[in-house]
Amino acid sequence: MRLQGYQVLSDHEMTQIHAASLRLLERTGTNVLSEPALELLADGGAEVNFETRRVHFPKSLVEDALASLPSSFYVYDRTGNTALDIGDSRLYFVGGMDANYIYDPSTGTRRSATKQDIADFARLADALPNIHIVSPQAIPHDVPGDSALVHAFEAVANNTTKPIYITPGGKIACQTVLNMAQQVIGDIDLGKHSFLIGYAAPTSPLTWQPDAAEALIEIVSRGIPFSIGPAPLMGMISPMTPAGAVVQANAEQLSGIVMAYLVRPGTPVLYGVMPITADMRFGTPAHGDPNTALARLAGANMARFYNLPGIVSGPNSDAHCLDEQNAWEKMLTMAVAMNAGVNIMVNAGAFATVSTVSYEQLVLDDEMAAICQQLLRGVEVSAETLALDLIEGVGPGGNFLAQKHTLKHWRNDYWLPQVSNRVSFSAWSKAGNKDVVTVAAERAKKLLAEHQPAPLPQSTKTSLRRICREFEDRQRLEK
Amino acid sequence: MTQNHNLLEEISQAVVDLDDERVNRLTREALKAGIVPRLILEAGLRQGITMVGDSFSRGEVYLPELMLAAQAMQGAIEILKPEMAKEQTQTPNLGRVVMGTVAGDLHDLGKGLVISLLEMAGFEVIDLGIDVPSQKFVESVTQYRPDVIGMSALMSTTLRNQQKVMEALTEEGLRDRVKVIVGGAAVTSEWAKKIGADGYSDSATDAVGVVKTLLGQS
């Protein structure tokens, strides 16, 4: 059978959390700091105070919204072919996202990311088999900050044929990115065959900033799948207790689901509830903390409770370099998400509390993702796999090496690492005593030297350049 | 005198114990006993908060204790305020810091944390709030005469507003009159350097050290 999912909430407990979130939405509600979003909610039957910008959500509205959502959906590539079937327990990895720094493990230093880095990361992610969706790996700092996301999209679109994950801030940037996306796919209907997934998060506690609300409205109105990912720091912007954090973040999530429903019912929503432990010695987020893992596991259980595809941030680490802490935190966060049946994990390649990315890390995360995909296969039991005849045929004292059964299942069922070491000490020593980070650096270098995804037509590239430049000019004029 | 001394010590202890009700009650008693507000503040409340701050530095207590202690002190200061206004006492401090989140950015938490930590360290802080227009930062230099201005920006889209403030300060000829620190999730050390900020910290707990260094206090 397949690996059975981790569960930290019983059915009764999930019902309790659902009821508490509904009550919170009805009695206290959320702040929605966007005029168009307030109008949308008022027209849709929410109780809106336009002066205080507080919105109360009737229970029935939330339930209608939930009932409208699909439990799975397809994401397409830029030629309109099905690329990913998102749902059930299939797990896909997204590179990313929104980090500031690039780290070089060979020197132990970091620097601000550039647009060229975003292009290179996209090309590397395109080459790595277990990174399924590409996103701007970091924020480019060599372009104006208010145009950074538009530049980043240009860099990504030019360097991958895989689906793209976007986090555009604000309405205008969002419209610009969608305009660029339409150029990329030409005549294909973006709403019907989206190669994009959008993302925004409410600001805890219980607030929708204008940029997030308007990005949601803009993207969902085109029918593009959207992920909502409240990530409160427990004890700082949500209760300290995971259960309380989940009640609050679930309410925040549901308020976003209602907005998506009112914009365009049935548009796929990825459900994320991902609280983070705050380390109270420093007030800093601890993404690799076991309590973060538990709270996010509870969030993933809630996604299942609603029968919605789930999203979570990860694999995460708070380490500032690629060391043992990095590895165990990465594996912890990835394994928990996998076992919870999360469908999309966003942040491969990032570490240092999601502030930093490195080429080596993306290669290492690709390897870890492959390991987790193997675990998801579970153990198959059939006459063929029980192999009773085979055991009896080989008999006591024999061996199984020269058996067709062995060859067949080794070939079909087993996985070979790309960077993990498995050779003997003497062979390893002879090859230069390389640790896995060094090997990952070599793999990244090789892939970047060799891999060239199918380029966009020159005319499309030119349009993207033009749209990007026009956006930048417009921002400059507004200054 | 000894009795008064004991009362002040009890106030300190109540702050350390995070017992806001006791802090308030003892503060009123101290006023009734005729202790001057400034002494209550310095030898009672601030003494207590310093003890909590020291324990925090040693890793013995955590942020919630720090915040609860600050809240207890703040409550007592409200009680002292009318009396202090009568006396027109200036509370001595390590320096004055103006803090705000730049225009277009509504994030509050990190800035709030830095403010509490600065106040606890003995700085006077004026909070301009969130979504603060450049002009307001500029005006604060003449209005409050701060030693330091702190600007927070959480989003890459609002980063440039830190630069705008820097430019405006230069245009108005005020740049030399104040030190500027920047922080927030979108800010990098390179960015801080690029816009000509005097200081940058990537965590709230390090910010106090940055301010002290800038003012030659460490």
Side-chain angles (χ1 to χ4, degrees), chain B residues 18-37:
Chain B
L18 315 175
D19 187 342
D20 50 351
E21 278 175 30
R22 207 167 90 229
V23 173
N24 289 348
R25 180 169 54 74
L26 291 168
T27 301
R28 287 197 190 90
E29 273 178 37
L31 281 175
K32 216 178 271 173
I35 308 177
V36 291

Side-chain angles (χ1 to χ4, degrees), chain A residues 140-448:
Chain A
H141 284 269
D142 56 342
V143 296
D146 43 19
S147 314
L149 295 167
V150 173
H151 278 282
F153 183 79
E154 186 194 13
V156 172
N158 271 317
N159 287 282
T160 184
T161 59
K162 290 181 177 177
I164 298 177
Y165 196 81
I166 53 168
T167 62
K171 187 176 167 182
I172 307 296
C174 208
Q175 284 171 342
T176 306
V177 165
L178 294 181
N179 187 7
M180 291 166 96
Q182 191 61 63
Q183 298 291 324
V184 170
I185 57 171
D187 296 336
I188 298 167
D189 183 342
L190 194 53
K192 286 204 181 97
H193 295 99
S194 181
F195 74 111
L196 300 179
I197 298 177
Y199 167 85
T203 304
S204 302
L206 302 165
T207 300
W208 281 92
Q209 306 276 4
D211 278 5
E214 284 160 28
L216 181 152
I217 291 172
E218 201 55 43
I219 293 175
V220 171
S221 71
R222 310 276 194 108
I224 295 166
F226 199 80
S227 47
I228 302 170
L233 272 170
M234 292 184 280
M236 294 181 83
I237 48 176
S238 84
M240 185 70 227
T241 45
V246 171
V247 165
Q248 180 192 305
N250 184 47
E252 292 162 352
Q253 170 71 234
L254 293 175
S255 67
I257 284 176
V258 167
M259 276 195 267
Y261 167 68
L262 295 176
V263 173
R264 183 160 161 161
T267 305
V269 171
L270 283 148
Y271 175 106
V273 157
M274 29 205 200
I276 311 168
T277 298
D279 188 317
M280 293 298 186
R281 293 171 301 170
F282 319 112
T284 47
H287 286 250
D289 178 76
N291 280 311
T292 302
L294 278 173
R296 291 180 164 189
L297 176 54
N301 288 166
M302 290 307 294
R304 284 288 148 129
F305 174 78
Y306 293 122
N307 201 17
L308 292 174
I311 188 165
V312 76
S313 163
N316 288 321
S317 171
D318 302 306
H320 288 292
C321 61
L322 280 54
D323 61 356
E324 284 81 353
Q325 179 194 342
N326 178 307
W328 77 58
E329 291 179 347
K330 285 262 177 183
M331 197 39 117
L332 169 76
T333 51
M334 190 185 281
V336 167
M338 173 195 71
N339 281 307
V342 164
N343 300 102
I344 289 199
M345 183 161 230
V346 186
N347 267 331
F351 60 106
T353 321
V354 210
S355 67
T356 306
V357 293
S358 88
Y359 296 96
E360 295 79 3
Q361 184 76 71
L362 191 60
V363 170
L364 294 171
D365 287 355
D366 175 79
E367 180 103 339
M368 271 186 255
I371 293 168
C372 281
Q373 298 290 6
Q374 284 298 306
L375 288 173
L376 273 175
R377 295 161 56 109
V379 172
E380 183 196 331
V381 179
S382 65
E384 164 74 11
T385 63
L386 287 169
L388 182 57
D389 291 348
L390 179 69
I391 302 166
E392 289 185 316
V394 169
N399 75 66
F400 293 82
L401 259 179
Q403 294 291 334
K404 289 211 168 100
H405 185 272
T406 302
L407 177 64
K408 179 179 161 194
H409 290 282
W410 166 255
R411 284 267 184 197
N412 293 347
D413 306 345
Y414 277 78
W415 163 79
L416 285 180
Q418 291 289 339
V419 293
S420 310
N421 176 58
R422 288 178 178 178
V423 301
S424 69
F425 179 83
S426 50
W428 174 72
S429 177
K430 217 168 137 188
N433 296 38
K434 289 173 194 161
D435 64 9
V436 74
V437 178
T438 309
V439 179
E442 288 172 358
R443 182 161 199 240
K445 208 174 162 190
K446 184 166 183 286
L447 288 172
L448 281 172

Side-chain angles (χ1 to χ4, degrees), chain A residues 25-26 29-30 32 37-50 53-62 64 254-255 258-259 261-262:
Chain A
L25 283 171
E26 203 155 36
T30 66
V32 178
L38 286 173
E39 276 162 24
L40 173 85
L41 287 158
D43 290 347
E47 188 195 309
V48 175
N49 183 327
F50 281 88
R53 298 189 285 180
R54 179 67 65 89
V55 179
H56 298 267
F57 298 77
K59 189 177 161 195
S60 59
L61 179 59
V62 179
D64 289 349
L254 293 175
S255 67
V258 167
M259 276 195 267
Y261 167 68
L262 295 176

